[in-house]
Amino acid sequence: MTKTFTKDEIVEKAQEIAKMIAETEEVEFFKQAELQVNENPKIQQLISQIKLAQKEAVNLEHYAKAEALKKAEVKIDALQDELDEIPLVKEFKQSQMEVNGLLQLVATTISNTVTDEIIKSTGGDVLKGTTTKKS
C-alpha cells in the first residue's frame, strides 16, 4: 500500500526544494550580479532616466500627443539599448534567465512526474499518455 501525503507535508517538501534552489550556483551568481547592478551609479542613472521617460510617455499618450510620444519612445529605446550593452547588465540578465530556467525545469519535472504517476496508478500507458488500459 502506498503512503498518502497531506498538503502540509507537500508544502514542507516544496519549501525544502526552494531552499535548495536558493543555494545553487545559479542563484548565488544572480544575487551577486543584482548587488553589483544595484550599486553601479551608471546603471542606476540609466534606470532612473528610463523610468522618467516612461512616465513622460504615459502622460503624452494620455494627452494624445502622438508625435511627442513617438520621440519619447525612441528615447526610451535608446536608453534601454545603452543599458543592455553594459556587460554587467548582460551578465545579470543571463543569470536571471538561468534561474528562471531552473525554476521552470523543477516545475515541469514535478508536473510530468505527477502525470506519469497518475497514469501508472490507473493502469494506463505512460508512453501513450492514457489513464486506462485499452483492450
Side-chain angles (χ1 to χ4, degrees):
M1 185 168 167
T2 60
K3 179 184 182 338
T4 56
F5 295 92
T6 66
K7 285 182 186 177
D8 288 344
E9 289 171 320
I10 293 167
V11 168
E12 186 179 324
K13 287 289 182 190
Q15 289 170 338
E16 286 177 35
I17 292 170
K19 287 177 184 174
M20 289 171 63
I21 291 169
E23 294 174 9
T24 61
E25 287 180 23
E26 292 89 347
V27 171
E28 192 56 41
F29 187 85
F30 172 80
K31 291 189 298 190
Q32 291 302 316
E34 183 178 38
L35 186 63
Q36 290 177 359
V37 162
N38 289 336
E39 292 177 348
N40 186 296
K42 179 178 179 164
I43 292 172
Q44 291 308 306
Q45 180 187 17
L46 280 168
I47 290 171
S48 293
Q49 288 176 323
I50 291 168
K51 286 179 181 179
L52 188 63
Q54 288 170 333
K55 285 181 185 176
E56 180 183 339
V58 168
N59 286 333
L60 292 169
E61 185 175 28
H62 178 72
Y63 292 108
K65 305 271 186 177
E67 284 302 313
L69 177 59
K70 284 181 187 175
K71 288 179 183 176
E73 288 171 343
V74 167
K75 180 181 179 180
I76 292 167
D77 289 343
L79 288 167
Q80 189 64 55
D81 289 345
E82 185 179 346
L83 181 65
D84 290 342
E85 287 305 311
I86 297 172
L88 184 56
V89 172
K90 287 181 181 181
E91 288 176 12
F92 173 74
K93 286 186 172 189
Q94 179 64 36
S95 72
Q96 197 173 35
M97 287 183 354
E98 288 174 8
V99 169
N100 286 339
L102 177 60
L103 293 171
Q104 188 62 47
L105 175 63
V106 170
T108 300
T109 301
I110 290 170
S111 177
N112 290 345
T113 303
V114 169
T115 299
D116 290 351
E117 290 300 316
I118 290 170
I119 291 169
K120 288 177 197 172
S121 71
T122 58
D125 185 334
V126 173
L127 293 177
K128 291 182 181 174
T130 56
T131 55
T132 56
K133 287 185 180 176
K134 303 262 177 170
S135 308

